[in-house]
């Protein structure tokens, strides 16, 4: 029984399968939340909330999966910027694609949907700071938990860049900034 559960939750293929299988559930949660809030802007808020979770959790889950030497080998740290990235670039095209694109996508959903849900995050520097903080937290956790992973500054840089690029991609849908003449709208449920 344990091997069966490990196949679903403890491997990259398992995480991908669970994520794809959960897509209809995520859509139902968006619909439920939007209807409960009363429609209109509630759809956007609901989609953003579910999008942040659905688009971030699987990636973090994958990078927190333990390697073969988890708990046995000491944690490894790489603090020289671009060293690991250059090593990856010298690898084959599949490794380059998986490593670079994968790291760019870790906090991309947070960067895309965060400003849509939280007006305070409607700024690229704020998204970059949030993504960098979250990425440092994940890298420290990998080290502390001895997951047989390399905690790398390059991962932090790529994770942060991915969130920033995603934020720029969603910028046209960000709420307009509040001004003294025009405050942010209050959702209908809070009036």
């Amino acid at each position: 029984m344990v091997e069966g559960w490990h196949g679903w939750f403890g491997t990259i293929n398992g995480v991908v399968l669970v994520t794809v299988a959960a897509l209809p559930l995520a859509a139902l949660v968006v619909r439920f939340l939007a209807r409960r809030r009363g429609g209109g802007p509630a759809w956007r808020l609901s989609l953003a909330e579910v999008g942040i979770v659905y688009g971030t959790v699987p990636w973090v889950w994958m990078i927190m999966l333990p390697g073969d030497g988890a708990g046995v080998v000491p944690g490894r740290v790489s603090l020289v910027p671009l060293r690991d990235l250059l090593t990856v670039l010298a690898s084959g095209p599949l490794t380059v694609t998986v490593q670079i694109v994968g790291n760019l996508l870790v906090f991309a959903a947070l960067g895309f949907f965060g400003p849509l849900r939280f007006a305070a995050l409607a700024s690229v520097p704020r998204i970059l700071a949030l993504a960098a903080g979250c990425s440092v937290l994940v890298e420290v956790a990998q080290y502390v938990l001895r997951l047989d992973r390399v905690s790398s500054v390059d991962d932090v840089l790529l994770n942060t860049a991915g969130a920033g690029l995603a934020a720029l991609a969603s910028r046209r849908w960000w709420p307009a900034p509040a001004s003294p003449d025009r405050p942010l709208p209050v959702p209908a449920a809070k009036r």
Side-chain angles (χ1 to χ4, degrees):
M1 183 70 162
V2 173
E3 288 180 4
W5 286 108
H6 178 73
W8 282 100
F9 300 107
T11 64
I12 291 174
N13 289 340
V15 174
V16 170
L17 287 172
V18 169
T19 302
V20 170
L23 183 58
L25 177 62
L28 287 173
V29 171
V30 169
R31 184 174 182 209
F32 171 78
L33 290 174
R35 284 183 163 211
R36 185 169 182 199
R37 289 178 169 145
W43 280 98
R44 184 173 119 163
L45 294 176
S46 301
L47 177 62
E49 290 168 354
V50 173
I52 290 169
V53 174
Y54 183 81
T56 304
V57 168
W59 293 104
V60 173
W61 183 2
M62 278 194 258
I63 61 177
M64 293 302 291
L65 289 174
D68 293 336
V72 178
V73 298
R76 295 167 297 193
V77 178
S78 177
L79 297 177
V80 178
L82 306 179
R83 177 188 288 168
D84 293 337
L85 189 57
L86 291 173
T87 302
V88 166
L89 290 172
S91 305
L94 180 61
T95 302
V96 171
T97 303
V98 168
Q99 288 295 317
I100 293 177
V101 173
N103 274 305
L104 287 171
L105 291 175
V106 172
F107 293 113
L110 178 64
F112 189 90
F113 291 111
L116 300 177
R117 173 57 183 96
F118 303 102
L121 291 178
S123 154
V124 174
R126 288 182 191 149
I127 287 294
L128 292 173
L130 177 62
C134 291
S135 186
V136 166
L137 183 66
V138 167
E139 295 298 314
V140 168
Q142 286 178 338
Y143 177 80
V144 170
L145 297 173
R146 296 175 51 190
L147 296 176
D148 190 22
R149 299 257 189 191
V150 176
S151 297
S152 173
V153 69
D154 290 347
D155 290 347
V156 173
L157 293 172
L158 285 171
N159 296 165
T160 303
L165 291 170
L168 290 172
S170 72
R171 190 176 179 111
R172 66 185 291 180
W173 298 293
W174 290 2
S179 69
D181 301 335
R182 192 180 56 78
L184 288 174
V186 177
K190 293 186 178 181
R191 288 184 191 164

